[in-house]
Amino acid sequence: MDSAEDSSVPLPFRRAVEGLKKARLRSGIEIDPTKPPQRLAPYAYALEAAVVDDEDDLADGRLILLHDPSGHDAWHGTFRLVTLVRAELEPEMAADPLLPEVCWSWLTGALDARGLTYGEASGTVTMAGSHYFGGLSERRPATQIEIRASWTPREGVGGVPDTAAHLSAWCDLLCQIAGLPPAGPVDTGVVSLPQRRGPHHP
């Protein structure tokens, strides 16, 4: 079920969704609700976002809030956050063999920097290269990096996690992979990738 306003929806889930909607995000991020997956949990809510510079999307992603009132053995909780984040890299940056480890540290670092407690974090960092031919041969080779991850936000008052703070941390990750510096009081001490153009598709 993806309707967070239905009175039959558990109150903790409705409050968690309200937290997402009330989060104050930095400028340059365009975010909108989108249709969530139907089979991952009894209740789900999803957002998609992009870091935009003029007409360029520097990075984009999707964040899904899942809720199972009965709890989930693998989650060790009743809520779960699932994400996909991706951006296009310059070839010289893509050649760094430590880049996947660094990108994963950006996720955990963004959560830690905002003082959030969480558990059961897992995911993958994938790099895929593209070479263009024929009518697209004038394009430079491109490498896209993709982070797929999930974690269990620890529940606070009323069994509701601080979803607004988790969304803000996720946006920090999105901006970092886009090459933007940290904004506001949060500074992870990690250098972002240089700002670049992408991801664009034919």
Side-chain angles (χ1 to χ4, degrees):
M1 179 179 294
D2 59 7
S3 174
E5 298 179 357
D6 189 329
S7 61
S8 66
V9 175
L11 182 59
F13 180 69
R14 281 186 279 155
R15 288 180 172 171
V17 172
E18 288 172 4
L20 292 175
K21 293 179 178 179
K22 293 178 180 178
R24 297 181 64 183
L25 307 178
R26 66 184 283 177
S27 61
I29 296 178
E30 296 182 355
I31 191 164
D32 291 292
T34 188
K35 185 176 180 179
Q38 301 296 310
R39 299 181 181 179
L40 296 181
Y43 304 93
Y45 183 81
L47 296 167
E48 57 184 8
V51 180
V52 179
D53 178 44
D54 292 330
E55 296 182 356
D56 294 323
D57 286 358
L58 303 179
D60 59 43
R62 194 180 195 205
L63 184 68
I64 304 167
L65 174 68
L66 304 176
H67 179 54
D68 187 338
S70 301
H72 195 292
D73 291 341
W75 301 354
H76 290 183
T78 61
F79 285 92
R80 188 76 170 169
L81 285 163
V82 181
T83 187
L84 163 67
V85 173
R86 59 190 177 185
E88 193 170 292
L89 304 178
E90 296 294 339
E92 56 270 20
M93 291 184 285
D96 185 348
L98 296 179
L99 189 60
E101 287 82 358
V102 170
C103 288
W104 179 255
S105 74
W106 288 346
L107 170 61
T108 56
L111 295 169
D112 294 341
R114 290 188 177 269
L116 294 168
T117 54
Y118 60 96
E120 313 308 317
S122 61
T124 61
V125 178
T126 305
M127 292 192 295
S130 298
H131 295 264
Y132 299 98
F133 302 93
L136 301 176
S137 60
E138 293 183 358
R139 293 193 178 191
R140 296 176 59 191
T143 299
Q144 187 178 80
I145 192 159
E146 181 179 273
I147 302 173
R148 293 180 180 268
S150 62
W151 65 96
T152 298
R154 294 307 181 208
E155 297 161 15
V157 178
V160 182
D162 188 350
T163 50
H166 280 272
L167 176 57
S168 295
W170 179 73
C171 288
D172 292 340
L173 167 67
L174 197 63
C175 289
Q176 199 155 31
I177 199 172
L180 302 183
V186 177
D187 187 347
T188 62
V190 179
V191 177
S192 303
L193 294 177
Q195 185 170 328
R196 58 201 173 276
R197 302 169 66 89
H200 280 295
H201 309 286

